[in-house]
């Protein structure tokens, strides 16, 4: 699952107007689900926004056990459809004195995900040397899209000292939902404040060697952003290009809405 348009209501499911005679309507609620990212995951879906005494869908919870992420063998990512009710069609039980029931149906998806990214950077172990011509000049890194996840590295600032390089790495929620603590997807609609905006990460690596990063192991987003500072000790005298590698784990919660009207016909 990734950023925007990873799931949505299938057109006309439900339609903008649901007509009912007080029996089965012949209509369903169907979500179209695409995993546009690179992590294979399972998804919990929760349907809400309606009176279950009027619109009867069976269980409002649907678990999609596994949807494949993008890969060399599957460049489009996984695809699935989720339907309420799983069998048959919607049952409508309109109150006796109501002819029109306007409602906005909300579908919420919760899933665990991870961001893995390798970003080319220049490292100069001796930035104050008299050598004028160097293979590269440290200047941080230009970070764009394409990280295949709703949480991304969005900027990297760099400071070079003799034998040491320091990176200030900005992490952002670039999706249209909320970051939640990993492992809470089955209960995501009941989470308390302390379970939101939590991201765990493995130590950042420079050329395969782990650095000393603060805050260590876990960050909390504030206004959808957080900053990690990592210090790496580097040997040698000549500048070179290597990769800064990140691996972050988190949960994610996003919702889509569809407005409809239920109309009673005689």
């Amino acid at each position: 699952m990734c950023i925007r348009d990873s799931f949505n209501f299938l057109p006309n499911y439900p339609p903008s107007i649901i007509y009912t005679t007080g029996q089965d309507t012949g209509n369903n609620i169907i979500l179209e689900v695409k995993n546009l990212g690179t992590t294979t995951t399972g998804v919990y879906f929760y349907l809400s926004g309606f009176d279950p005494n009027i619109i009867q869908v069976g269980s409002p919870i649907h678990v999609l056990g596994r949807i494949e992420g993008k890969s060399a063998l599957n460049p489009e990512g996984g695809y699935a459809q989720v339907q309420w009710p799983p069998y048959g069609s919607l049952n409508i039980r309109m109150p006796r004195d109501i002819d029109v029931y306007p409602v906005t149906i909300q579908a919420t998806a919760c899933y665990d995900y991870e961001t893995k990214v390798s970003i080319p950077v220049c490292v100069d172990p001796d930035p104050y040397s008299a050598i004028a011509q160097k293979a590269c000049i440290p200047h941080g890194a230009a970070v764009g899209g394409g990280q295949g996840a709703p949480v991304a590295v969005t900027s990297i600032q760099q400071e070079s000292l003799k034998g040491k390089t320091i990176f200030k790495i900005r992490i952002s929620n670039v999706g249209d939902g909320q970051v939640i603590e990993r492992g809470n997807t089955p209960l995501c609609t009941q989470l308390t404040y302390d379970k939101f905006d939590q991201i765990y990460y493995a130590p950042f690596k420079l050329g395969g060697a782990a650095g000393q990063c603060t805050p260590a192991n876990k960050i909390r987003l504030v206004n959808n952003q957080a900053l990690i500072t990592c210090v790496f000790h580097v040997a040698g005298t000549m500048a070179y290009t290597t990769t800064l590698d990140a691996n972050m784990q988190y949960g994610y919660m996003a919702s889509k809405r569809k407005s409809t009207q239920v109309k009673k016909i005689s």
Side-chain angles (χ1 to χ4, degrees), residues 14 24 31 80 100 128 157 189 202 207 222:
D24 289 354
L31 296 178
V100 179
Y128 308 117
Q157 296 179 337
T189 59
V222 178

Side-chain angles (χ1 to χ4, degrees), residues 85-116:
Y87 305 99
S89 62
L90 296 173
N91 283 321
I92 305 294
R93 296 292 182 264
M94 291 283 279
R96 179 176 300 176
D97 297 327
I98 293 179
D99 294 325
V100 179
Y101 173 57
V103 64
T104 298
I105 297 172
Q106 177 169 290
T108 300
C110 299
Y111 52 92
D112 286 335
Y113 221 68
E114 66 178 350
T115 300
K116 290 184 177 181

Side-chain angles (χ1 to χ4, degrees), residues 168-237:
K168 293 183 178 180
I169 305 152
R170 186 164 299 280
I171 309 301
S172 301
N173 174 10
V174 296
D176 57 359
Q178 293 178 276
V179 174
I180 61 174
E181 188 175 50
R182 187 178 180 89
N184 287 280
T185 53
L187 300 173
C188 70
T189 59
Q190 306 172 39
L191 294 181
T192 54
Y193 173 79
D194 61 306
K195 299 298 183 182
F196 284 89
D197 296 317
Q198 306 283 350
I199 298 174
Y200 292 90
Y201 71 93
F204 280 65
K205 293 183 178 181
L206 184 67
Q212 296 176 321
C213 299
T214 55
N217 304 320
K218 182 180 179 181
I219 55 175
R220 184 184 183 95
L221 300 180
V222 178
N223 295 325
N224 284 323
Q225 295 189 340
L227 190 68
I228 300 172
T229 300
C230 294
V231 179
F232 297 90
H233 295 280
V234 291
T237 59

Side-chain angles (χ1 to χ4, degrees), residues 121-127 138 158-167 205-212 230-244:
V121 293
C122 176
V123 174
D124 188 350
D126 191 4
Q158 183 176 358
E159 180 182 359
S160 295
L161 304 172
K162 186 174 178 61
K164 181 188 298 185
T165 189
I166 302 169
F167 292 98
K205 293 183 178 181
L206 184 67
Q212 296 176 321
C230 294
V231 179
F232 297 90
H233 295 280
V234 291
T237 59
M238 303 298 287
Y240 61 94
T241 299
T242 186
T243 59
L244 182 65

Side-chain angles (χ1 to χ4, degrees), residues 48-109:
S48 62
F50 56 92
D51 185 337
N53 295 310
I54 297 176
I55 299 178
Q56 300 176 356
V57 300
S59 173
I61 301 172
H62 184 102
V63 181
L64 186 59
R66 179 182 174 89
I67 184 165
E68 295 286 337
K70 288 184 177 180
S71 65
L73 297 178
N74 184 11
E76 299 298 321
Y79 176 87
Q81 289 187 351
V82 177
Q83 174 178 302
W84 285 272
Y87 305 99
S89 62
L90 296 173
N91 283 321
I92 305 294
R93 296 292 182 264
M94 291 283 279
R96 179 176 300 176
D97 297 327
I98 293 179
D99 294 325
V100 179
Y101 173 57
V103 64
T104 298
I105 297 172
Q106 177 169 290
T108 300

